[in-house]
DNA sequence: CAGCGGTTGAGAACGGTTCTCACACGTCGT
DNA sequence: ACGACGTGTGAGAACCGTTCTCAACCGCTG
């Protein structure tokens, strides 16, 4: 598991790549990076409308941040697609399927050996993997206790 | 009753649950189960239109098969959502990012230990995980030659 | 501070998914 | 085998999330 880490210096990333850094991009980044749980694009657009951010800009910026590796796409228990800002470096999300709270961990030690076996067995050249773990966080488990 | 076969006896599953088994459901099942690679709903609908299967029925049936655990949702390199009929039992897909050919493997031995650590460290009750490995199959690698 | 080129917002367009509803058909009791 | 019932189905409309268009705006550089 990773510890509480500093977020990316997004302005520096943009400057380094020569990509204009706008008020909207900062707001959208802050929306995702400032949350401790994944959010949908619709939620971001709704939350930023009052700040004068258009929905097309939210879509464009989420795609841009995704390309830059600054936003990861995950999904909750209902299959809804959400985005979360990962810390620096490679990690995987442990997601509460109910409230979408995200805890990051590094599981590559477990996967690397598996990938080597797969490559040897199948002849595939492996270029990546996708690992998410789903659970119910203590808070949500408490609230769901009464029901099934 | 006993099915030592590697593929699901879908008709028996339906009968056992008292769910009507129709011509369309057989066709849609065959479309996914008869392929060695994942396919999108759109592809299934296009491929079965000439058989007189409506697209609404394809959507409904894919959802139904998913609920029954007879179809697994995966995604290719571009993030496109596809479906593939897994063999009996729990497994994970190794997907060729180029042609979407799927090879299944059981990687739970590697994940189980990880999940135990995560559960202990976070207090989450873990109900599932999503693991896909991406690669290029030997055939596609040959066709593409060397690359970056 | 002026000029350029990328970015933005409003709304239209687009396309995948779901809904509606009359009709067809699978299932089961007889 | 037959008939009645209840579920499934197809065509097309509706719905809604996403992308596109384009004129105005603004961040960046000099
Ligand atoms: Mn990893
Ligand atoms: Mn597994
Ligand atoms: Zn939770
Ligand atoms: Zn391939």
């Amino acid at each position: 598991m990773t510890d509480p880490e500093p977020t990316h210096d997004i302005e520096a990333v943009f400057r380094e790549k020569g990509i204009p850094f706008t008020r909207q991009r900062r707001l959208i980044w802050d929306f995702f990076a400032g949350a401790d749980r994944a959010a949908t694009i619709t939620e971001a657009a709704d939350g930023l409308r009052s700040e004068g951010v258009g929905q097309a800009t939210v879509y464009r910026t989420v795609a841009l941040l995704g390309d830059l590796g600054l936003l990861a796409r995950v999904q909750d228990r209902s299959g809804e697609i959400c985005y979360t800002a990962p810390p620096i470096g490679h990690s995987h999300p442990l997601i509460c399927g109910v409230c979408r709270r995200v805890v990051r961990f590094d599981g590559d030690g477990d996967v690397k050996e598996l990938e080597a076996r797969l490559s040897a067995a199948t002849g595939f050249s492996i270029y990546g993997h996708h690992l998410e773990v789903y659970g119910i966080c203590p808070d949500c488990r408490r609230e769901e206790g009464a029901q099934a």
Side-chain angles (χ1 to χ4, degrees), chain A:
Chain A
M1 187 139 20
T2 50
D3 29 19
E5 33 48 58
T7 63
H8 293 270
D9 181 353
I10 188 185
E11 201 165 340
V13 172
F14 274 67
R15 188 172 306 142
E16 190 167 322
K17 304 224 175 205
I19 302 173
F21 189 68
T22 65
R23 183 182 71 89
Q24 290 88 342
R25 285 172 174 170
R26 165 167 296 289
L27 286 166
I28 293 164
W29 167 254
D30 286 348
F31 184 90
F32 288 100
D36 67 340
R37 59 199 69 197
T40 64
I41 289 184
T42 299
E43 288 167 353
D46 289 347
L48 295 173
R49 183 166 300 120
S50 61
E51 305 285 343
V53 180
Q55 68 164 358
T57 299
V58 176
Y59 278 97
R60 286 185 288 233
T61 302
V62 167
L64 174 62
L65 292 171
D67 289 344
L68 293 173
L70 297 171
L71 271 189
R73 184 175 66 179
V74 300
Q75 51 187 162
D76 65 15
R77 191 163 57 169
S78 70
E80 185 123 37
I81 293 182
C82 322
Y83 294 85
T84 178
I88 295 172
H90 186 90
S91 67
H92 298 275
L94 165 60
I95 308 155
C96 174
V98 176
C99 72
R100 299 191 208 141
R101 179 152 38 196
V102 175
V103 177
R104 296 234 146 230
F105 64 89
D106 175 5
D108 279 11
D110 302 82
V111 179
K112 179 176 291 182
E113 168 189 346
L114 167 65
E115 289 187 352
R117 289 201 307 274
L118 288 176
S119 183
T122 65
F124 277 51
S125 63
I126 291 173
Y127 64 78
H129 58 246
H130 185 91
L131 172 62
E132 299 173 19
V133 178
Y134 303 104
I136 314 278
C137 74
D139 289 349
C140 288
R141 186 142 30 90
R142 199 171 303 126
E143 284 180 18
E144 283 198 343
Q147 307 140 29

